[in-house]
Amino acid sequence: MALLITTGGCTTTQPSPEVATGECVVLVHGLWRNAWAMQPLANSLRESGFHTVSIDYDSTGKALEAVAKEEMAEAVRQCQTLTSGPVHLVTHSMGGLAARYYLATHALPPGGRVVMLAPPNDGSSVVSHFEGHPLLACLIGSAAAPLSESRPQRLPGATLTTPIGVIAGNNNPSPVPIPFLDSPNDSTVSVASTLLDGMDDFIVLPESHVSIRRSETVHRQIRAFLRQGRFEIDPTTPP
């Protein structure tokens, strides 16, 4: 039985005592999403013994620096009240950039690792193409600047000491090619854009930008990296 708590912009799940590992994962959603977008992953991690804290932030109206300083810092503190063990970060899409801001000024407790799902670490070619257009500002607000291809690799935390694994998707289910988006891609972020200088491991899976949050294969890879600091060699091998 999981314990689910919603407080202070964070949703917390705790595993049953029989499976608890003494580790906690902060989950960070992406653009146009909220904490519930990460709930399938939170449930999967909880069933494997991890405590989780899913943050909720205004992805279009709040600067990522402020998200890192406030919501992410508070989520890590909540994790530390749940366990004295390692605290990890798992992010989706733009949430990976928020994590980089956080890690530029904060250190995770010993043993902490980071997994980024489909992060636009090298920016978004679509955002860059429409940079400066009024409609873009209306649609994504404060997210426009950090998503520009001229910014991300120079963001704080571009070179990190915390172990980081990146999972990219290469399944674009759209029958119509998306202009300005390099292939292969997940319908939103190109595989090439997910790469980050200094990352410890990298894997590409046949997932879209949405399905990558929900896939059990992806969840297995996340658990592998959090526990071992590396992904499985063959993600198609049955568990």
Side-chain angles (χ1 to χ4, degrees):
M1 178 72 69
L3 174 61
L4 179 65
I5 305 170
T6 302
T7 179
C10 297
T11 301
T12 302
T13 61
Q14 298 181 35
S16 62
E18 306 88 70
V19 298
T21 64
E23 299 182 53
C24 186
V25 182
V26 174
L27 299 170
V28 189
H29 65 81
L31 185 65
W32 299 324
R33 305 293 179 181
N34 57 31
W36 292 103
M38 305 297 279
Q39 197 57 42
L41 176 54
N43 291 339
S44 176
L45 288 168
R46 183 258 307 167
E47 289 168 1
S48 297
F50 294 91
H51 303 270
T52 70
V53 177
S54 299
I55 74 168
D56 215 356
Y57 67 96
D58 181 355
S59 65
T60 62
K62 190 166 187 175
L64 293 181
E65 298 97 319
V67 173
K69 182 179 180 180
E70 298 169 14
E71 283 89 347
M72 291 191 67
E74 174 58 26
V76 171
R77 284 193 290 270
Q78 286 194 31
C79 267
Q80 291 179 296
T81 68
L82 297 172
T83 176
S84 59
V87 175
H88 309 291
L89 304 179
V90 176
T91 70
H92 176 241
S93 194
M94 192 179 73
L97 304 186
R100 284 167 56 184
Y101 276 110
Y102 177 82
L103 293 170
T105 55
H106 300 75
L108 291 176
R113 297 186 173 111
V114 179
V115 177
M116 297 179 175
L117 306 180
N121 277 319
D122 204 28
S124 165
S125 57
V126 177
V127 170
S128 293
H129 183 83
F130 291 102
E131 193 168 6
H133 195 286
L135 182 60
L136 184 68
C138 290
L139 288 173
I140 66 176
S142 61
L147 287 174
S148 168
E149 289 178 308
S150 64
R151 288 285 305 279
Q153 289 288 355
R154 297 200 298 274
L155 285 177
T159 301
L160 300 165
T161 57
T162 305
I164 294 178
V166 173
I167 302 178
N170 64 359
N171 178 24
N172 182 348
S174 174
V176 180
I178 301 175
F180 324 118
L181 184 59
D182 294 337
S183 294
N185 62 70
D186 63 6
S187 78
T188 304
V189 176
S190 70
V191 171
S193 293
T194 66
L195 302 175
L196 179 66
D197 293 342
M199 61 185 178
D200 293 80
D201 206 351
F202 175 76
I203 193 167
V204 180
L205 296 174
E207 303 293 344
S208 71
H209 201 67
V210 172
S211 71
I212 202 167
R213 291 184 280 110
R214 304 169 180 168
S215 164
E216 176 53 33
T217 299
V218 173
H219 295 175
R220 286 175 51 205
Q221 292 294 332
I222 292 170
R223 294 192 297 267
F225 190 88
L226 296 184
R227 289 168 172 160
Q228 305 160 189
R230 65 183 185 277
F231 298 124
E232 295 175 352
I233 296 175
D234 182 2
T236 64
T237 302

